[in-house]
Amino acid sequence: MSLPDGTPAPRAFLFADPAAHSLSPQMHRAAFAHAGQPGTYEARRVPPADLAAAIAGLRAPGVLGANLSLPHKEAALPLLDSLSGAARAVGAVNTVVHRDGRLHGDNTDSPGLRDALSDAGYIWEQGAGVIVLGAGGAARAAVHALIRAQQNVTVVNRTLERAQAIAADWHDPDADVQVTALPAHAAPWESAALVVNASSAGLNDPDQTPLDAAFLTRLPAGTLVYDMVYKPAETRLMREARAAGLSAHNGLGMLAHQARLAFHAWTGADVPVRVFLDALTRAGAPAAAQGQDT
């Protein structure tokens, strides 16, 4: 598909601080090429003080929208014209879509995690027990995805009050599944089908872990440990999970799936996730999954 002479290609962006490390440009450029559509994608460092101006700039003609990363996912909420149900429930936006001068905020982290877990072999049995580690924005996205998939979720965090705040937001005594908050020693490890690390532990230090290895030994043999961290490729949590005989996957699949969903929202093109994963591989990213079953 070509544009008339002199017509600039549609543009999309990543706004983050910092932004130079991002692999999103490689993924989206590959997606434009696969879809046969003209378009550019640029990662821009946007300090918090400049976010409002950057968001306003997305209303310009020819702009498709933007991805938002730290520290902007929550701060952008009041700057947008509308929000998806996922963005409202999670309380964060990672994808802004421009349509005719109006900006719509969405959260593709939540469905991106769901799709990545399916790729990792997780079986979605109603009422299964899941333990989420962490109580920040990533944990909220994880809880949203899991509760919508009818999983019983226990949020574990070093500061229990923060985990309890998440559980309170999803408290529904009449629902078939529940979100609870417990300290690690009281969590139902023996019945968990899935553990999701949604904390930042291991992100900058591969020897850091959000969980004592003793808890991993209490998990059933078929439990999947999914670490949202994808760089480094192998965290201490993943190593210790495999040592306990469990399957462990990193977060690269989630990164690719959330990008695929954002690209579809901007362009209407349904590009296979493999295009995004292959682009990450070419960019030197680690494998999308690590575990005894790969």
Side-chain angles (χ1 to χ4, degrees), residues 89-190:
V90 175
V93 168
N94 79 321
T95 300
V96 179
V97 182
H98 174 216
R99 293 284 187 273
D100 299 323
R102 293 181 59 81
L103 301 178
H104 177 70
D106 199 0
N107 188 299
T108 65
D109 287 333
S110 174
L113 173 63
R114 178 199 61 210
D115 292 343
L117 288 171
S118 294
D119 286 352
Y122 183 62
I123 305 301
W124 296 96
E125 295 184 2
Q126 183 172 344
V130 180
I131 296 175
V132 172
L133 309 176
R140 292 184 62 86
V143 171
H144 178 262
L146 295 163
I147 202 72
R148 284 178 59 85
Q150 295 292 293
Q151 310 293 283
N152 280 304
V153 181
T154 300
V155 182
V156 171
N157 190 59
R158 288 192 176 95
T159 305
L160 183 60
E161 290 78 10
R162 295 189 65 198
Q164 289 171 332
I166 292 179
D169 285 345
W170 271 280
H171 178 67
D172 182 355
D174 297 324
D176 293 331
V177 293
Q178 299 294 330
V179 180
T180 57
L182 291 171
H185 68 83
W189 303 101
E190 287 79 6

